[in-house]
Amino acid sequence: QVQLVESGGGLVQTGGSLRLSCAASGRTFGYMGWFRQAPGREREFVAGIRWSAGSTDYADSVKGRFTISRDNAKNTVYLQMNSLKPEDTAVYYCAATKYYTGSYYYTAGAYDYWGQGTQVAVSS
């Protein structure tokens, strides 16, 4: 069965860094993304990567601070989070599509699989 398992969340001070990991198994994927959801807000796209080509996409709010990458040998996607701000506080979810369509990567409904989420808290 397909599984996406996130890890690496935690509590960090403003300006600090965290690296989230998403270990994927069960099949190959076309596109993988990171979403986050803060209390009272909708789940929003953070960053994504096309598995085969390695091309990346970022939300404007994290450009220059977050970096998404992949390790093909480990079937793992990472989200390096630097210069963290209190507004980055949220549950972060890993998600994946079966195939790459080149569109709608920024909407949660486009994804076929989801991880359980990992909490990121940035203190002010």
Side-chain angles (χ1 to χ4, degrees), residues 8 14 33 63 75 94 101 116 122-123:
T14 297
K63 286 181 179 178
N75 291 317
C94 178
T101 64
Q116 82 287 352
V122 184
S123 63

Side-chain angles (χ1 to χ4, degrees), residues 41-95:
R41 297 190 61 85
E42 294 186 343
R43 192 167 298 185
E44 65 175 350
F45 174 80
V46 176
I49 186 167
R50 185 179 179 182
W51 189 261
S52 60
S55 54
T56 58
D57 303 284
Y58 296 95
D60 288 342
S61 59
V62 306
K63 286 181 179 178
R65 300 189 298 122
F66 292 8
T67 302
I68 188 170
S69 62
R70 73 193 194 287
D71 185 328
N72 290 358
K74 295 182 178 180
N75 291 317
T76 300
V77 172
Y78 303 96
L79 184 67
Q80 179 66 47
M81 309 165 66
N82 298 327
S83 301
L84 283 162
K85 306 173 181 179
E87 51 263 45
D88 295 317
T89 295
V91 176
Y92 283 70
Y93 297 90
C94 178

